[in-house]
């Protein structure tokens, strides 16, 4: 069974540009989460999809971030326009049922550097 | 807000020494998970603790969940160079689905 995949693995862009990150969850997992780790700090929750619906987006830092999950399969996270403080590692995780005891499986992350 | 604090931030040990990392939550947790991230890698699930006072072992790793479900620890006995990485605790607060991560403990094992 394939794990969570993310693309690209690395992205280097200039301030003001747009970047789109993609996450493909484990097949059959309805729950998809985005997290990010900036500047060696803790990994922080961004948002949670259940299928194509945003269940919780309380962690999204501001309106420069837009997440979508059309069709309830893969998800994209767009940053527009990117700022220096957006640099970090963006992780995607998925789980099947989404209940409180369920394990979330993490993807390899996208390392974003904004210059 | 609800936070999970983790200490220490860094730990250097000689191979063969023991290692412990601790997590404390501001409020009661539903459960707590532990992850290991190798340098350049991504968090890999190790274990989940659910019950008050629970203790689980995986070979040289011992995981504990406090009686009040507000703290947890990971203890590694006789560290090996393969134990190198950052260990994160991640708690779920009551009625929450997302994980709240501690800041991680970066373990270096000197041969």
């Amino acid at each position: 069974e394939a794990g969570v995949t993310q693309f690209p693995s690395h992205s280097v862009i200039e301030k003001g540009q747009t970047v789109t990150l993609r996450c493909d969850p484990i097949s059959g997992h309805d729950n998809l989460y985005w997290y990010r780790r900036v500047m060696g700090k803790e990994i922080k929750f961004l948002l949670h999809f259940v299928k194509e619906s945003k269940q919780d987006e309380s962690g999204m830092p501001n309106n420069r971030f837009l997440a979508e999950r059309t069709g309830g399969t893969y998800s994209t996270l767009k940053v527009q326009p990117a700022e220096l403080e957006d640099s970090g590692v963006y992780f995607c995780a998925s789980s099947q049922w989404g209940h409180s005891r369920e394990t979330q499986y993490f993807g390899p992350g996208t390392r974003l550097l904004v210059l | 807000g609800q936070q999970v604090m983790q200490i220490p931030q860094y730990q250097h040990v000689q191979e063969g020494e023991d290692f412990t990392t601790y997590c404390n939550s501001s409020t009661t947790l539903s459960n707590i998970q532990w992850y290991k991230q190798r340098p350049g890698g991504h968090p890999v699930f190790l274990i989940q603790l659910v019950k008050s006072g629970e203790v689980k072992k995986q070979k040289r790793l011992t995981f504990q969940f406090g009686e009040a479900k507000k703290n947890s620890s990971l203890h590694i006995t006789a560290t090996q160079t393969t134990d190198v990485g950052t260990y994160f605790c991640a708690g779920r607060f009551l009625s929450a689905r997302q994980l709240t991560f501690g800041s991680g403990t970066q373990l270096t094992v000197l041969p």
Side-chain angles (χ1 to χ4, degrees), chain B residues 13-58:
Chain B
V13 299
Q14 289 290 140
E15 189 172 17
E17 291 182 336
D18 293 354
F19 159 77
T20 305
T21 174
Y22 303 89
C23 284
N24 280 289
S25 165
S26 54
T27 56
T28 302
L29 296 166
S30 171
N31 55 71
I32 193 162
Q33 301 185 357
W34 285 90
Y35 290 80
K36 177 183 179 181
Q37 183 175 0
R38 294 183 182 273
H42 63 279
V44 175
F45 174 79
L46 294 177
I47 209 160
Q48 177 172 250
L49 304 172
V50 178
K51 299 177 183 177
S52 170
E54 189 170 14
V55 178
K56 287 187 177 180
K57 292 189 176 184
Q58 288 180 351

Side-chain angles (χ1 to χ4, degrees), chain B residues 53-102:
Chain B
E54 189 170 14
V55 178
K56 287 187 177 180
K57 292 189 176 184
Q58 288 180 351
K59 297 182 181 178
R60 294 178 293 103
L61 278 61
T62 302
F63 303 85
Q64 293 188 326
F65 202 12
E67 294 290 340
K69 299 183 71 172
K70 295 174 72 173
N71 58 74
S72 181
S73 65
L74 158 59
H75 179 82
I76 302 178
T77 303
T79 54
Q80 300 175 359
T81 54
T82 53
D83 296 326
V84 165
T86 300
Y87 293 84
F88 292 96
C89 62
R92 271 205 189 91
F93 292 100
L94 300 178
S95 76
R97 289 185 175 180
Q98 73 269 27
L99 296 171
T100 299
F101 280 80

Side-chain angles (χ1 to χ4, degrees), chain A residues 20-50:
Chain A
T20 300
L21 314 179
R22 172 170 170 149
C23 168
D24 286 76
I26 293 172
S27 178
H29 281 195
D30 286 340
N31 294 270
L32 187 150
Y33 305 81
W34 282 99
Y35 295 85
R36 74 171 180 176
R37 188 181 189 199
V38 297
M39 295 300 291
K41 295 184 178 178
E42 67 271 22
I43 299 170
K44 283 197 170 181
F45 167 78
L46 296 178
L47 87 158
H48 169 211
F49 283 99
V50 177

Side-chain angles (χ1 to χ4, degrees), chain A residues 56-107:
Chain A
D56 180 353
E57 51 184 330
S58 60
M60 293 289 264
N62 52 61
N63 59 11
R64 295 186 293 102
F65 289 76
L66 175 64
E68 295 181 322
R69 194 182 181 196
T70 307
T73 54
Y74 71 90
S75 174
T76 58
L77 179 65
K78 183 193 295 187
V79 185
Q80 179 183 30
E83 298 289 343
L84 300 179
E85 64 265 25
D86 301 331
S87 295
V89 184
Y90 290 76
F91 292 106
C92 174
S94 73
S95 66
Q96 189 168 18
W97 305 113
H99 62 68
S100 64
R101 295 188 178 189
E102 192 171 43
T103 299
Q104 294 181 15
Y105 297 91
F106 280 74

